[in-house]
Amino acid sequence: MYVHIGEDAMVRMNDIVAIMDMQAAEDSLIMEQFMKDNDNGIVDLCQSACKSIVITDFKVYLSPLSSATLKKRAEKMSRPFGRKQ
């Protein structure tokens, strides 16, 4: 299954390692170093403000969608069809 993460980008759910809130990531020295170390693998999907960071096995995406929205989409996609939780 795939999750739409903003603009025209979709990533496989199995490839997602983490979805982080941009504000929390900006306040973290560890994330700051991680972003510097992976600078060439960052894909910026934001036309204006970025709200979250999606870390996959292959790339790091800056998304205009909130981490809560992305979490809901991932949970929705992981449910068996026709079942509501």
Side-chain angles (χ1 to χ4, degrees):
M1 294 294 211
Y2 288 83
V3 178
H4 176 259
I5 61 169
E7 294 302 311
D8 292 331
M10 297 184 77
V11 296
R12 284 178 26 143
M13 279 186 42
N14 292 342
D15 292 342
I16 297 175
V17 176
I19 299 173
M20 300 187 65
D21 178 71
M22 181 63 84
Q23 188 64 41
E26 287 176 345
D27 295 339
S28 168
L29 294 175
I30 293 170
M31 278 304 297
E32 181 180 334
Q33 186 62 45
F34 175 82
M35 296 297 277
K36 285 180 185 175
D37 292 345
N38 292 287
D39 188 44
N40 61 342
I42 295 176
V43 178
D44 189 350
L45 303 173
C46 305
Q47 302 255 339
S48 57
C50 292
K51 296 181 182 176
S52 63
I53 299 172
V54 179
I55 301 170
T56 70
D57 290 332
F58 309 104
K59 294 186 185 230
V60 176
Y61 296 90
L62 304 180
S63 174
L65 304 176
S66 73
S67 56
T69 298
L70 294 172
K71 179 181 179 237
K72 288 178 191 173
R73 288 182 182 188
E75 288 172 347
K76 182 179 178 182
M77 296 305 293
S78 67
R79 276 189 251 145
F81 289 106
R83 289 189 142 172
K84 291 186 178 181
Q85 291 184 348

